[in-house]
Amino acid sequence: MSDLEEFLAGERLDDVVLFVSDTALDADSRLRNVGDERENGVVVVADGERGRSAFEAGTGMDVMEFTKEAMETTGEIDETLDGATCPAEGEDDETTHEVEFVFAFAEGQNEDVGGLYAEGDVIHAYAHCSCGENFSRKWIAGE
């Protein structure tokens, strides 16, 4: 099982995942050496602190501010964490919508909280589109 597969199964609760698209990533970026190349970018699985630092260095955004804003809008983020569909797509035919990056973490099952969290470990994913829209999705790990 790859690091990403383990993360998506809820087996790496201390790690985060960062996807950066080719459109937002320099050709000689260090992320290309430490991550897994995808058709449209690079996925990196890293321990939480290192991953958050990499996110902030690579995007210029504070991760907490980004996730807080992204939680306000629900959208479709691929369960492989290497793509998404912007919820603003189709609102304006002249605007380009390409996911630039995705940040994700997993939260352990917590029956006391209830809802989705009582059902199992939860994947929290947050995406940023080239149009400026930030959005999120969460789901039960392994589903």
Side-chain angles (χ1 to χ4, degrees):
M1 218 183 230
S2 72
D3 290 349
L4 179 61
E5 290 169 329
E6 289 177 354
F7 175 86
L8 294 171
E11 296 175 17
R12 297 179 74 104
L13 297 177
D14 293 330
D15 290 350
V16 298
V17 173
L18 176 61
F19 166 77
V20 182
S21 72
D22 287 333
T23 59
L25 192 63
D26 293 333
D28 61 347
S29 171
R30 186 174 167 271
L31 285 179
R32 294 192 186 279
N33 297 328
V34 297
D36 294 326
E37 289 277 346
R38 295 289 196 251
E39 181 179 323
N40 55 346
V42 177
V43 172
V44 177
V45 179
D47 70 84
E49 241 357 92
R50 199 173 104 230
R52 282 185 285 279
S53 293
F55 173 87
E56 291 178 0
T59 66
M61 294 183 175
D62 177 84
V63 71
M64 296 305 287
E65 289 178 23
F66 167 65
T67 57
K68 183 178 179 181
E69 181 181 327
M71 282 190 291
E72 295 175 13
T73 305
T74 301
E76 286 301 314
I77 299 174
D78 298 350
E79 291 180 5
T80 53
L81 301 173
D82 59 0
T85 302
C86 179
E89 193 169 328
E91 291 178 6
D92 177 359
D93 292 338
E94 295 180 20
T95 302
T96 301
H97 296 276
E98 294 181 23
V99 65
E100 292 185 337
F101 52 84
V102 174
F103 177 82
F105 68 90
E107 188 172 349
Q109 181 175 2
N110 186 339
E111 293 179 12
D112 293 338
V113 174
L116 196 60
Y117 300 94
E119 297 176 34
D121 300 332
V122 176
I123 304 293
H124 295 260
Y126 306 90
H128 176 76
C129 181
S130 59
C131 74
E133 185 78 48
N134 294 323
F135 54 99
S136 65
R137 178 179 174 216
K138 59 184 173 182
W139 64 90
I140 302 293
E143 289 188 355

